[in-house]
Amino acid sequence: MKIKIGILTLSDRASEGIYDDKSGASIKELMQEWISNEKEYFYEVIPDDFELIKDSLIKFCDEYKCDLVVTTGGTGPALRDVTPEATEIVCDKMMPGFGEAMRLESLKYVPTALLSRQTAGIRGSSFIINLPGNPKAIRECLEPVFPAIPYCIDLIGGGYITTDESKMKVFRPKHAIKNV
């Protein structure tokens, strides 16, 4: 089964070409490493603008039918950091445990992890997760929560994600495992 993955980078400077988007590239590398399904990617780099973020999330979920949408950037306390607010506006349900777990994990590395406001939510059959904009923090935040994401996507009617279990082992209750 082909899995559709949206990667949305929120950065004023990267969207202007001032620097390369290393965070979006880090997300794609992890998806390539962990997910064994055939993948189709949808990728955009846009400024930290609430309406643009909201519109892009809706497009990734409703038009492109992404199973998983991963954002990077815009999760801090700065005035232009509005990714969590845009995510909350477009989601049918919020999944606050993901943000809580990511912050807890990040605290092992930096005390400023408490400033991060990343979250996750569901829109239709798409799972959206917000990650920080620091490329190093991408793996640190996503690795501990990713094992729960495929089963969540199962529960909302998205694609069945399989992984290379030598690199990322996902959790599904025994009754939920499909023979793929």
Side-chain angles (χ1 to χ4, degrees):
M1 168 177 274
K2 184 189 289 186
I3 299 300
K4 293 183 178 185
I5 301 169
I7 300 173
L8 184 61
T9 299
L10 300 313
S11 168
D12 290 333
R13 291 176 287 177
S15 69
E16 293 172 13
I18 295 170
Y19 60 74
D20 290 336
D21 171 32
K22 293 183 176 154
S23 298
S26 294
I27 292 167
K28 186 173 182 182
E29 286 172 20
L30 286 176
M31 297 301 102
Q32 288 294 110
E33 179 183 338
W34 294 344
I35 297 175
S36 56
N37 301 67
E38 181 183 348
K39 294 166 280 300
E40 181 177 1
Y41 291 98
F42 300 88
Y43 169 74
E44 288 183 13
V45 180
I46 61 173
D48 291 293
D49 177 88
F50 179 82
E51 290 299 323
L52 281 175
I53 297 167
K54 188 179 75 144
D55 292 346
S56 292
L57 289 171
I58 291 169
K59 177 174 55 178
F60 278 31
C61 296
D62 297 0
E63 185 179 327
Y64 299 159
K65 305 286 187 203
C66 291
D67 300 291
L68 173 62
V69 178
V70 185
T71 71
T72 175
T75 60
L79 193 58
R80 291 201 39 91
D81 290 335
V82 294
T83 305
E85 289 80 6
T87 300
E88 288 175 17
I89 276 286
V90 305
C91 284
D92 306 316
K93 293 181 182 178
M94 295 307 299
M95 304 296 290
F98 286 90
E100 294 161 6
M102 289 187 285
R103 280 184 288 284
L104 188 59
E105 183 66 21
S106 293
L107 274 172
K108 296 176 183 175
Y109 303 100
V110 293
T112 54
L114 292 173
L115 301 177
S116 188
R117 301 175 313 113
Q118 66 257 34
T119 191
I122 297 164
R123 179 179 177 88
S125 60
S126 300
F127 180 82
I128 302 169
I129 188 164
N130 302 150
L131 299 177
N134 179 321
K136 183 177 176 285
I138 301 292
R139 182 180 285 269
E140 290 171 0
C141 287
L142 197 53
E143 197 164 45
V145 300
F146 193 84
I149 291 174
Y151 184 52
C152 182
I153 292 172
D154 294 349
L155 292 172
I156 62 174
Y160 191 84
I161 294 175
T162 57
T163 59
D164 176 344
E165 291 200 8
S166 69
K167 298 190 174 149
M168 174 54 67
K169 188 165 174 55
V170 301
F171 177 82
R172 286 183 171 97
K174 287 188 175 39
H175 72 281
I177 298 173
K178 292 181 183 178
N179 292 327
V180 193

